[in-house]
Amino acid sequence: MVEVALWGALSAATGGRKTVDVEAKDIRELFRKLAERYPGLEPYIERGIAVSIDGVIYRDTWSKELPKDAEIYLLPRISGG
Amino acid sequence: MTLGADFTGQKFKSVGTRPLRPDGVDKVTGRARYGADFNMPGQLVGRVLRSPHAHAKIKKIDTSRAEKLKGVKAVITAADLPDLTGGGDMFDILDNCMARKKAFYDGHAVAAVAAIDAPTAKKALKLIKVDYEVLPHVTDVDEAVKPGAPLLHKHMFTGGVEPKPKKPSNIANRCQYGHGDTEAGFKEADVIIERSYRTEQTHQGYIEPHACVASVSPDGTAEMWVCTQGHFVYRQQCAELLGIDVSKLRVTSSEIGGGFGGKTHIWAEPLALALSRKANRPVKLVMSREEVFRASGPTSATSVDVKLGAKKDGTITAAEATLRYSNGPYAGMWAELGAMTSFACYDLTNVKTVGYEVLVNRPKVAAYRAPSAPMAAFAIESAMDELAQQIGMDPVKFRIKNAAKEGTKSSYGPVYGPIGIGPTLEASLKHPHMKAKLGKNQGRGMACGFWFNFGGQTCTDLNIGVDGTVALAVGTVDVGGSRASLSLVCAEELGIPYEQVKAVVADTSTLGHNDMTDGSRGTFSSSMATIFAARNAIKVLRERAAQMWDISVDDVVWEDGQAKAKGQKHGNLAPLSLKEIAAAAPNTGGPIAGHSEIVADGAGVSFATHICDVEVDPETGATRVVRYTVVQDAGKAVHPSYVEGQYQGGAAQGIGWALNEEYIYGKDGRLQNPGFLDYRIPVCSDLPMIDTQILEIPNPKHPYGVRGVGETSIVPPLAAIANAVSNAVGVRMTHIPMSPPRILAALEKKKAH
C-alpha cells in the first residue's frame, strides 16, 4: 500500500481528498487503480500526469516501481521551452 | 529507464573539454541550411491571410476571385481542414493555425494561398473576401477578468472551482498549490510585505522566422523540411490534423536560428501541407517578421499579487501569491507553471499559490524558456528583496536562511533530493562581483530562479564506419551546441578522440520517436541515450575482437578505445583498436552499430542565482546593465563553453525582457509594434560581458550527473534587474519592462512625495 498525494485539480476529482492509499507496485498499476476508483481522474491520466517518487519526477516510465515508504506525489505533466 | 542510468562518479577524459562545435564552420561560412534555405523542384509560394480584427465572427469567406487568378494553384480555409470541434487540445491547435468560426486576435490566420510566385500569392490574398462581424475585444489580463469583460468563449466556465460556476468567464482554470496554514503564519510575522506586480507580454525573439517546405504526393506520402525544436512532434501533430499516416510523413529539421520554446508549437506547417495536398505541388511557407510577432509564440502578460511575512531574525513565516497569466484565446497551464515555480527556491512552512489562466484577444501563448517561471520569480524575488531590506538583512543571507535543501518539502509538493539553490547563493555571496564598488546612479540587485527540467522519449543510433569513424544520429534538435556535447559523450564512452565522431540530427524516418528539445532536455536525454548506444556498440566490438582473436568474448575488455584480451593466456595478443575492428567488420558479421531507445526520466531540478549592476540615467530613465554574473548548477557541464553560452543567452534575453521588450496593443486590439525596430531586443552593444560560474552538483539519476541547463538562466534576470534598478533609483519598480518612460514616471512620483 502506498500513500499518494494529489495536486489541487486531482483533489477536486476525488471528492476533496488530498491523499489516497493505493495498493500498487508500479506507476502503471497506480494509474489503473486510480481510474477504476475515481473515474473523474481518467481525463487527467489521459492528458498526462507526472509522478514524483522521493522527489524524482517521472513523466513516462510507467514501469517505475513504487517503494512502500516512498513519498509519492502526482503533478501535472509540464511543458518546457 | 534503462538500467545503469544512476550517477557513478566516473572520471572523464573528453567530457568537460571545450572543442569546437561540429556545426560551427557551416554556420559562420553560410553553408548551414536554415528553414528558408531549402527548395524543391516546382515549389509554390505559400502566403497566409490574417484577421485585422482582435475578435470577430467569420460569417463568410469568398475565395472564388483568388482561385481564378492566373498562377494561383490552391486556396484553403478552415473548410479544407478537418473539423475537430469538440476535440479538445487538437481543436485548439488547429483553430489557432486556421480560424474556423471566429478570429480571436489580430493576425489570426483565416485563409492561405499557394501560387507560382510571391507577387501572385500576395495579389491573391487581396482577392479573398472575408465577411467579419466585429465583436468587442479584451487584450489586457486584468481587464479580461473583470465582470462585464467581452467573453472569448460563451461556453467557458472556470475549471478547478467547486461548485462549477454558473456564469461563463474568461478565466479558463484556477489552480492552487502549497501547504501549511498561511493565515497562522502571517500572525507570527514581525514584518509583512504586500505588493502587486505586472509583466508585459514578450516574444521569444528568435532571429529566424518560422519556415517550412511541404510536399504531399498523391500516393498519400509526404515530406516536410522545417525549422523546429521537435520534428517528431511536428510530424505527429501534422499527421493527426491532416489525416496522414505518421510513418508516411517524413520530417527533416533544418538548422535553427533560435526557438526558445516558440518552435515547440506548430503554426503554419499544417497549412503548407494542406496547400501542397490541394495544389499537388511542393509549397514553401515562410512567415514574415510581422507575422511572427502577430501570430506566433509570445509569452504571457501577467499580474501577480504577493504577500510575504517574516520574523525579525529573517525566518519566513508565510508566503502567498495570486497569479493571473494571459493565455491568448486557448486555455493552457501558464499560470499553473507560475504557481508551481513561485516559491520553489525556499523552505517554507506555510505557503499558498493560486493561479488563474486568463483568456484574452492576443496570440496563443507559447512556451518561452522555463515558461512562466521568470514572471513569478520577478514578483517573489522583488518582494523577498523588499522584505530583507525592511528587516535589515543582507538579501543574499536572507535567502540563504530560507533556502530549500535536500529534504525540504517544495512549494509545489514533492520533497527535494540533492539540490543546488544553497550552493549558488553561497557562491554568489563569495563572488567578487558582490564586493565591487558601485558608481553614481548605479545599483546592485540579485535574485534566484528555479526550473524543473525534464527528460522524455529519446532514441539514438551510433554507426561505426569501415575506417573506425563514428556517425552519431540523434533525434533531439540541436538548439545550443548539443551535437558537440553528444560527440564528447560518445567519444568518452568509446575512448576515442572527439574528432573521430560526427553527430547529425536524423530525420523522422531514420530514428524512432524523440520528444522535442524542450524542458532543458536535449543534452540530458540524448547524452543518456548516447551512453547506452555506445555501450551497446562496445558489446558488439568486444564480440568482433573475440572472433578476430578466436577467444571467448568473456576474455575481452574495452579500455581506452581498444579491445584488450585479459588473462595470462592471452598475454601476447596486442590490443585491437576501433579502426582495426571496424576494418575487419565485413568478415566478422557486417556493420557495427549501437542503438538505444529510452525514456530519460529523472531529470534533476535546476537552480540559479544572478547578480546584476545597473546604471540609470535620471534625465532619460534609460538603464544600462554594467555588470552581470550568473551562478548556476549544471550537474555536470559536458561542454562548459556551451553551458556558459546557455547561461549568457538566458541572461541576455532576460535583460531585454526586463528593460525594453513589450507587446503594445492599440485600443483597436491591434499589435502596434510587430517588428524589431519598435520591439527592441538587446544587441551586443547593449550588454556587458556576462560572467558565469558553473557549479556541478551531480544529478544522481544521470550516469554523468548531467542536469539540463538551457532554461533556468532566464528565470532570475527580471527580478535581479528590477532589484538593481530599484536600488539605483530608490523606488520599488513593480512593472516590467522598466522602460525609460516607466522609470521616469516612478522618479516623478518619488519627487511628488
Side-chain angles (χ1 to χ4, degrees), chain B residues 101 134 188 190 219 291 336 523 592 657:
Chain B
K101 289 180 179 162
V134 178
E188 290 175 35
D190 295 317
D219 68 4
E291 286 179 295
E336 185 150 17
T523 295
I592 300 171
W657 193 343

Side-chain angles (χ1 to χ4, degrees), chain B residues 114-129:
Chain B
I116 52 166
D117 54 30
T120 309
K122 208 173 156 186
K123 206 169 166 187
L125 290 185
K126 287 184 180 165
L127 295 174
I128 298 171
K129 190 174 178 327

Side-chain angles (χ1 to χ4, degrees), chain B residues 311-510:
Chain B
K311 289 184 181 170
K312 279 180 186 161
D313 70 355
T315 309
I316 297 174
T317 58
E320 282 184 357
T322 303
L323 308 100
R324 294 165 292 275
Y325 276 48
S326 72
N327 281 219
Y330 310 101
M333 56 177 295
W334 308 113
E336 185 150 17
L337 288 172
M340 291 173 82
T341 57
S342 291
F343 292 106
C345 293
Y346 301 109
D347 185 356
L348 302 170
T349 311
N350 305 300
V351 57
K352 180 182 166 188
T353 57
V354 177
Y356 294 100
E357 313 293 350
V358 183
L359 304 192
V360 294
N361 293 112
R362 294 192 183 207
K364 175 188 148 182
V365 162
Y368 181 8
R369 211 168 188 164
S372 301
M375 306 84 118
F378 160 60
I380 274 68
E381 292 293 300
S382 295
M384 287 288 288
D385 239 42
E386 210 174 343
L387 191 51
Q389 280 167 4
Q390 291 221 4
I391 58 176
M393 239 178 128
D394 174 87
V396 185
K397 289 179 182 166
F398 175 57
R399 286 169 172 87
I400 289 173
K401 188 171 178 65
N402 293 288
K405 50 196 164 295
E406 186 167 1
T408 293
K409 183 175 174 56
S410 67
S411 55
Y412 59 90
V415 170
Y416 287 125
I419 54 171
I421 180 65
T424 66
L425 280 161
E426 296 285 355
S428 300
L429 195 62
K430 289 177 201 145
H431 199 283
H433 185 163
M434 273 296 181
K435 294 169 194 79
K437 279 192 177 170
L438 288 167
K440 197 182 168 195
N441 297 324
Q442 292 186 351
R444 176 165 301 143
M446 55 78 56
C448 299
F450 159 88
W451 182 246
F452 296 99
N453 295 343
F454 52 78
Q457 296 184 74
T458 313
C459 179
T460 298
D461 271 4
L462 185 159
N463 288 287
I464 295 171
V466 288
D467 60 354
T469 54
V470 179
L472 180 66
V474 301
T476 45
V477 171
D478 180 355
V479 301
S482 63
R483 275 168 292 186
S485 306
L486 300 173
S487 298
L488 281 171
V489 168
C490 181
E492 184 74 50
E493 281 296 319
L494 293 175
I496 58 174
Y498 168 82
E499 293 73 22
Q500 212 168 313
V501 183
K502 173 68 180 172
V504 298
V505 179
D507 69 61
T508 59
S509 292
T510 49

Side-chain angles (χ1 to χ4, degrees), chain B residues 254-274:
Chain B
S254 70
E255 291 290 352
I256 183 166
F260 316 111
K263 288 171 185 167
T264 61
H265 307 248
I266 54 171
W267 308 100
E269 296 77 14
L271 307 185
L273 284 161

Side-chain angles (χ1 to χ4, degrees), chain A residues 52 55 59-61 71 76 78 80-81, chain B residues 177 229 261 367 414-415 452 601 711:
Chain A
S52 168
R59 299 198 318 161
D60 299 299
T61 314
E71 186 227 35
I78 56 167
Chain B
Y177 287 86
Q229 286 175 248
V415 170
F452 296 99
D601 262 333
E711 294 175 286

Side-chain angles (χ1 to χ4, degrees), chain B residues 581-633:
Chain B
I581 301 170
N587 304 112
T588 58
I592 300 171
H595 309 281
S596 172
E597 295 86 26
I598 61 168
V599 169
D601 262 333
V605 292
S606 169
F607 294 88
T609 298
H610 290 198
I611 315 163
C612 169
D613 294 353
V614 299
E615 185 172 314
V616 182
D617 183 336
E619 298 296 318
T620 63
T623 300
R624 191 166 61 89
V625 177
V626 292
R627 187 167 179 182
Y628 202 100
T629 303
V630 176
V631 184
Q632 187 176 322
D633 172 21

